[in-house]
Amino acid sequence: MAPAPHRILRVKRETHDTFTLTLEVPEEAGGEFAPGQFSMLYVFGVGELPISISGDPGVPGQLVYTVRAVGKATGSLVKLRAGDWVGVRGPFGSAWPVEAARGKDVLIVAGGIGLAPLRSVIYHVLNNRDAYGRLTILYGARSPKDLLYRVDFRSWSRQMDTHALTTVDHGDLRWRGRVGVVTTLFRYVRLVPERTIAMLCGPEIMMRYVCAEIEKNHQLPASQIHLTMERNMKCAAGFCGHCQFGPYFICKDGPVFSYERMKPLLGIYEL
Amino acid sequence: MSSREEGLSGLVDLPSIGQLISLLERQGWRVIGPTVRDGAIVYERVESIDDLPRGWTEEQEAGRYRLKRRGDDALFGYNLGPQSWKKYLHPPEVRLLEARRENGLLKILKQSDPPPRYAFLGVRACELAAIAVQDRVLVGDRFADPIYEARRKNLFLIAVNCAQAAPTCFCTSMGTGPRARQGYDLAITEILEGERHEFLLEAGSEQGASVLGQLRARQAGPADSEIAEKMAEHAASQIHRRIETEGLHDLLYANWEHPRWDDAAGRCLSCGNCTMVCPTCFCTNVEDVSDVRGEHAERWRRWDSCYTLSFSYIHGGSVRRSVRSRYRQWLTHKLASWIDQFGTSGCVGCGRCITWCPVGIDLTAEVRAIRDTPTRAPKRRENRNGES
Amino acid sequence: MENLEKILSEHPFFEGIEKAYLDILAGCASNVRFEAGAYLGREGEDATSFFLIRKGKVALEIRTPQRPPLVILTLEDGDILGFSWLVPPHLWRFDMRAVEPVRALALDGRCLRRKCNENHDLGYELLKRFAYVVDNRLQATRLQLLDVYAAARS
């Protein structure tokens, strides 16, 4: 599977270290994806990176990725400009259960860059507003300057039957919003357990805390909670072996899993 | 394939093995077989009978491998060297990608060189099983690895039945040997009885039958087949290492925190030898390189090992930092989670990981230690006790 | 003027509490208001009361010499603010600034301590509710301490 060259249409600076790249999909490539899936992005001579698709599934002809520059490869990816080319393989992996969530309330819990793979779900729910019940978005970031998609977020919070809350771990004097970890937002949320599907993405520790919160304090069964796992990935096809997590390959069995499947494994140290 | 062709067999003499090699070469195969190099029997290109390890065998034990003379002319009188056939089917190093940057454009170049058509001479029953395991992993799942697939598709497989077992062998536990039962084109049983030195050839495919038909073989009788069975029985009787596979998956899943992992970690050097010599281990890493002018870039795939720290690296650090967790990953993957992933065990009982471990860690002993003192009984057993 | 007992009973912190306790607690309560920017208390001052926030948002801040104050937690409608009245030396540990105009009930610490000493059942009931909140805050603080979204130092 060779990467297919894609041209960068736009690079948008989201925060001091996070950028959103919009790629033009060549006609023969199609560009279809399901929310939650990821691509392998190839930077010439540098390497390949698994990056979740964070765009609107209702907008064809483009692929959108939000990348946080934390290492050599991500650093070189965000240095690219409109008109530059990247190689794309994919999309790969499992998707958020947007079909199973039809007719139900959707709870989105995102931490940090974890909002990126969930943005596609939010777009999908808002594009098909009548098909879903109440949409609750809980988003935690490190500090006010790390908040992603500020414009989107404001528009989501104004949508009908949508409850969008943000918090940051560390505030400053100019920040007028909430301060506290993302689990503290659950004080302001009422869930109807029998008709809620939860989708979580963020650091593993954060997701473990959130799972405990919604399973125990909000009586949501583990089968209705879905989360994404992160492990080292090189091939995205189950051949390189790096992303194994117990019996699972995160790249092809995941990255989206039900908490029911992950729960027995999440407690095993260094698995 | 008709049963008549599968059942086709014949007896040939020693020089005919040389003729088999040249016949295959003439027909466009590249024959890879056992040969002595650097103090070991390895799998390399063989062009004549002189390249084969005639009269050689080996001594194997945990952490020990030595070549020695047999005192006869056996061509296949050894068991297993450090290498397996994955060296050819799943190469240790392969270029995945070549790219050029021209006037700002990214060009991905086609990888066009087709691999050679390999004929493997001297594949043991456990190794046939290992190839079947890798087939399942690399072409039998959702995605197919084109590199493996291209090499595998045109393969000619000549199995050799074991007449003896090494002390590290445990194929009988894994149900893979010592006699090759399927998955070959031709199977060889080397018969050495007094002055008699002959080879019983059995065809396992149409392709194998056709090659057999081109050799000057004389009719094999029921007595010859009987000798072959006897030899397999003899080899099996020499096998003393054993893994109890019944309930092994559940046992290991119930014992992630068993103290034996710490014990093994105290001995394990985390060198990765076991993963390199294992005929089913398939993990790889990739490396990207470019020229100084930034015009030409390549992407290479190399064997990797779950024993390295970098293997599980995600931003911020490695997931498996302790040797304990890495040894546990290898063993539970091989013997337990492999079954969830691919429907078979990842172990074929070849024993290479035992021989080539520099400190002689023996997975059969590790498994036994956990089985003898489980910290938690497997779930299934708990239920059964609960009912009674 | 609103009935203090009714306000107490409607606040999530006292959800389901016995009526008799509400009568006692109301004797220690008073309505308070703070404009945005006002402090409900400053670090080092005597913690004379605790607050049941009815409406508005309060930031808990810590001052550092080199940097602007760090906001470590915000509290709002339905939250409670202040454990220091309960534990000696009864001093505020943070600055508590109203980010938005705040309406709250203040419960006098000395009054509450006295009533709890007189009525241990009330004291136990109150402590259970405080322990729950303290535990939640502690868990959240631990998670905050992990700084899970930080880029790793390489």
Side-chain angles (χ1 to χ4, degrees):
Chain A
M1 275 167 291
H6 284 53
R7 197 166 64 92
I8 299 175
L9 288 174
R10 282 185 299 281
V11 179
K12 180 175 180 256
R13 188 188 180 103
E14 301 282 353
T15 72
H16 57 104
D17 64 359
T18 304
F19 298 78
T20 295
L21 282 70
T22 303
L23 310 188
E24 179 181 43
V25 176
E27 245 169 60
E28 65 279 9
E32 285 87 13
F33 72 96
Q37 288 193 298
F38 67 96
S39 307
M40 295 300 286
L41 299 187
Y42 172 68
V43 185
F44 181 84
V46 177
E48 244 183 359
L49 286 163
I51 308 284
S52 290
I53 303 169
S54 54
D56 186 341
V59 178
Q62 61 177 46
L63 282 167
V64 178
Y65 303 92
T66 297
V67 184
R68 185 176 177 206
V70 288
K72 181 183 153 216
T74 46
S76 58
L77 187 53
V78 303
K79 278 200 198 88
L80 298 174
R81 292 290 163 254
D84 287 343
W85 292 76
V86 291
V88 179
R89 290 194 296 132
F92 295 109
S94 60
W96 296 107
V98 289
E99 286 312 310
R102 273 182 175 265
K104 302 209 165 79
D105 293 348
V106 176
L107 169 69
I108 303 275
V109 187
I113 188 79
L115 184 59
L118 284 165
R119 187 167 72 159
S120 300
V121 181
I122 298 169
Y123 283 139
H124 177 86
V125 170
L126 295 176
N127 291 346
N128 302 274
R129 196 64 196 91
D130 295 342
Y132 296 91
R134 187 166 179 73
L135 172 64
T136 304
I137 304 165
L138 307 181
Y139 172 43
R142 187 169 189 243
S143 74
K145 71 177 167 54
D146 296 298
L147 289 166
L148 294 178
Y149 310 143
R150 285 162 187 260
V151 176
D152 280 329
F153 213 91
R154 267 195 298 278
S155 103
W156 297 337
S157 58
R158 285 194 297 264
Q159 300 286 325
M160 177 194 69
D161 210 10
T162 301
H163 194 41
L165 302 179
T166 297
T167 185
V168 297
D169 276 13
H170 308 283
D172 56 40
L173 288 186
R174 277 174 308 172
W175 172 245
R176 302 184 60 81
R178 294 185 181 83
V179 180
V181 292
V182 73
T183 47
T184 61
L185 293 176
F186 283 93
R187 286 178 296 170
Y188 313 116
V189 170
R190 287 278 171 275
L191 302 177
V192 185
E194 57 273 22
R195 59 151 208 258
T196 299
I197 298 282
M199 305 181 200
L200 279 49
C201 187
E204 197 173 303
I205 311 168
M206 171 226 126
M207 293 193 294
R208 292 202 316 253
Y209 272 72
V210 170
C211 285
E213 170 74 27
I214 49 186
E215 195 188 20
K216 299 295 173 209
N217 288 347
H218 295 262
Q219 279 79 49
L220 211 63
S223 59
Q224 285 166 232
I225 305 170
H226 301 266
L227 46 83
T228 59
M229 293 296 299
E230 185 200 2
R231 285 295 180 268
N232 189 335
M233 273 188 214
K234 297 290 181 191
C235 74
F239 303 141
C240 80
H242 284 76
C243 69
Q244 286 178 81
F245 183 61
Y248 302 111
F249 289 90
I250 303 295
C251 70
K252 62 175 185 182
D253 302 319
V256 178
F257 292 95
S258 79
Y259 178 50
E260 195 175 28
R261 288 167 84 192
M262 289 297 104
K263 203 177 166 182
L265 301 173
L266 281 169
I268 303 167
Y269 184 56
E270 291 189 303
L271 184 65
Chain B
M1 242 171 290
S2 78
S3 55
R4 237 186 92 224
E5 278 154 352
E6 275 177 33
L8 192 66
S9 63
L11 284 163
V12 299
D13 58 7
L14 185 68
S16 299
I17 298 298
Q19 283 154 20
L20 171 63
I21 296 170
S22 41
L23 176 74
L24 289 167
E25 287 278 343
R26 273 203 309 280
Q27 293 181 0
W29 308 93
R30 181 177 295 179
V31 183
I32 308 292
T35 195
V36 172
R37 182 169 301 177
D38 301 330
I41 292 167
V42 296
Y43 297 144
E44 288 290 343
R45 184 158 191 183
V46 290
E47 288 172 290
S48 79
I49 201 164
D50 298 332
D51 292 331
L52 299 177
R54 191 168 174 174
W56 284 102
T57 189
E58 80 277 83
E59 273 176 23
Q60 297 198 52
E61 242 320 323
R64 182 181 165 80
Y65 177 98
R66 294 286 183 281
L67 279 187
K68 69 173 189 189
R69 283 283 176 194
R70 280 178 61 93
D72 63 19
D73 269 348
L75 291 183
F76 303 105
Y78 59 92
N79 283 99
L80 293 165
Q83 299 179 339
S84 67
W85 306 95
K86 78 174 180 183
K87 178 181 166 190
Y88 295 95
L89 296 175
H90 183 51
E93 184 173 75
V94 64
R95 190 173 62 200
L96 288 182
L97 179 76
E98 222 185 329
R100 289 195 68 78
R101 188 151 59 185
E102 288 171 4
N103 309 320
L105 288 177
L106 173 64
K107 284 196 173 161
I108 309 290
L109 306 180
K110 287 261 177 297
Q111 299 294 297
S112 52
D113 293 349
R117 292 166 66 209
Y118 287 120
F120 291 169
L121 169 62
V123 184
R124 302 290 172 176
C126 60
E127 298 184 303
L128 284 173
I131 291 170
V133 168
Q134 285 212 325
D135 287 350
R136 174 68 184 82
V137 174
L138 295 169
V139 295
D141 213 79
R142 200 172 320 159
F143 301 97
D145 172 27
I147 294 160
Y148 183 91
E149 196 173 30
R151 283 157 178 75
R152 179 67 178 94
K153 161 173 90 184
N154 294 315
L155 197 57
F156 193 95
L157 275 168
I158 306 167
V160 166
N161 286 314
C162 293
Q164 62 189 33
T168 44
C169 292
F170 59 102
C171 61
T172 42
S173 291
M174 307 315 293
T176 59
R179 189 154 188 207
R181 302 281 175 194
Q182 59 186 9
Y184 55 80
D185 294 297
L186 277 179
I188 298 177
T189 304
E190 185 171 24
I191 301 170
L192 264 167
E193 284 181 323
E195 290 302 297
R196 185 180 177 199
H197 193 184
E198 277 190 307
F199 300 84
L200 173 68
L201 266 52
E202 294 163 290
S205 72
E206 211 170 306
Q207 185 172 247
S210 154
V211 169
L212 177 54
Q214 294 166 67
L215 294 170
R216 267 189 302 266
R218 72 180 179 86
Q219 187 85 41
D224 301 308
S225 299
E226 209 169 292
I227 291 173
E229 276 306 327
K230 281 259 157 58
M231 284 167 58
E233 279 168 30
H234 173 70
S237 75
Q238 291 183 328
I239 295 175
H240 300 299
R241 270 196 165 76
R242 186 174 154 69
I243 282 189
E244 173 58 59
T245 55
E246 177 68 32
L248 183 54
H249 171 278
D250 294 354
L251 177 82
L252 292 176
Y253 269 37
N255 286 281
W256 295 108
E257 309 300 344
H258 196 282
R260 185 70 183 193
W261 301 120
D262 295 302
D263 191 272
R267 288 168 279 138
C268 176
L269 306 177
S270 200
C271 69
N273 264 17
C274 50
T275 57
M276 297 293 111
V277 297
C278 177
T280 66
C281 272
F282 56 85
C283 291
T284 53
N285 198 5
V286 286
E287 192 185 332
D288 288 88
V289 290
S290 61
D291 64 352
V292 257
R293 290 162 68 186
E295 290 169 353
H296 181 96
E298 295 185 352
R299 187 171 174 76
W300 285 79
R301 184 176 85 180
R302 294 192 175 88
W303 286 355
D304 199 359
S305 171
C306 52
Y307 283 93
T308 66
L309 258 183
S310 59
F311 188 84
S312 64
Y313 182 85
I314 48 178
H315 170 67
S318 293
V319 175
R320 296 185 204 106
R321 287 173 303 279
S322 67
V323 175
R324 171 189 188 269
S325 69
R326 301 202 287 276
Y327 185 75
R328 184 182 70 181
Q329 166 62 24
W330 179 72
L331 195 80
T332 51
H333 182 220
K334 192 66 53 187
L335 298 173
S337 47
W338 205 296
I339 298 169
D340 296 316
Q341 293 168 348
F342 304 111
T344 68
S345 173
C347 178
V348 295
C350 73
R352 283 188 180 91
C353 56
I354 304 170
T355 300
W356 294 94
C357 176
V359 294
I361 295 174
D362 174 353
L363 80 169
T364 67
E366 300 310 312
V367 167
R368 197 173 312 111
I370 291 174
R371 197 180 276 284
D372 289 348
T373 57
T375 47
R376 272 175 54 201
K379 283 217 173 80
R380 217 180 281 164
R381 194 174 298 169
E382 274 173 6
N383 290 346
R384 205 174 299 153
N385 287 350
E387 284 160 18
S388 64
Chain C
M1 197 181 126
E2 282 182 89
N3 182 308
L4 287 174
E5 279 170 48
K6 183 162 177 289
I7 299 171
L8 282 172
S9 71
E10 282 168 357
H11 195 280
F13 184 70
F14 287 124
E15 193 184 326
I17 201 166
E18 274 180 45
K19 173 93 177 57
Y21 295 152
L22 285 178
D23 295 339
I24 304 172
L25 291 166
C28 299
S30 58
N31 266 306
V32 288
R33 278 169 179 276
F34 298 90
E35 294 308 316
Y39 284 89
L40 283 72
R42 303 291 296 245
E43 183 188 331
E45 288 177 358
D46 286 338
T48 51
S49 52
F50 89 90
F51 299 100
L52 300 173
I53 301 173
R54 299 174 59 200
K55 189 81 199 152
K57 189 187 285 162
V58 181
L60 304 194
E61 301 171 357
I62 298 181
R63 280 167 288 174
T64 59
Q66 311 93 327
R67 289 183 303 170
L70 189 67
V71 179
I72 54 162
L73 182 67
T74 55
L75 298 166
E76 52 197 282
D77 310 13
D79 289 327
I80 65 156
L81 172 57
F83 313 132
S84 302
W85 67 275
L86 188 62
V87 196
H90 311 302
L91 298 175
W92 291 124
R93 304 296 188 178
F94 307 106
D95 292 344
M96 300 172 293
R97 181 174 53 90
V99 182
E100 296 164 5
V102 170
R103 280 194 294 134
L105 278 189
L107 282 101
D108 183 82
R110 203 162 295 164
C111 171
L112 274 181
R113 289 201 298 271
R114 193 178 62 242
K115 292 193 172 173
C116 289
N117 276 334
E118 288 164 4
N119 183 341
H120 285 187
D121 287 348
L122 167 67
Y124 179 58
E125 185 60 40
L126 214 50
L127 269 181
K128 270 199 295 186
R129 287 165 192 262
F130 265 99
Y132 178 79
V133 177
V134 171
D135 176 66
N136 271 283
R137 300 252 175 105
L138 178 63
Q139 300 307 336
T141 305
R142 285 171 175 165
L143 187 53
Q144 202 170 21
L145 198 63
L146 290 169
D147 202 8
V148 288
Y149 312 123
R153 268 167 255 152
S154 50

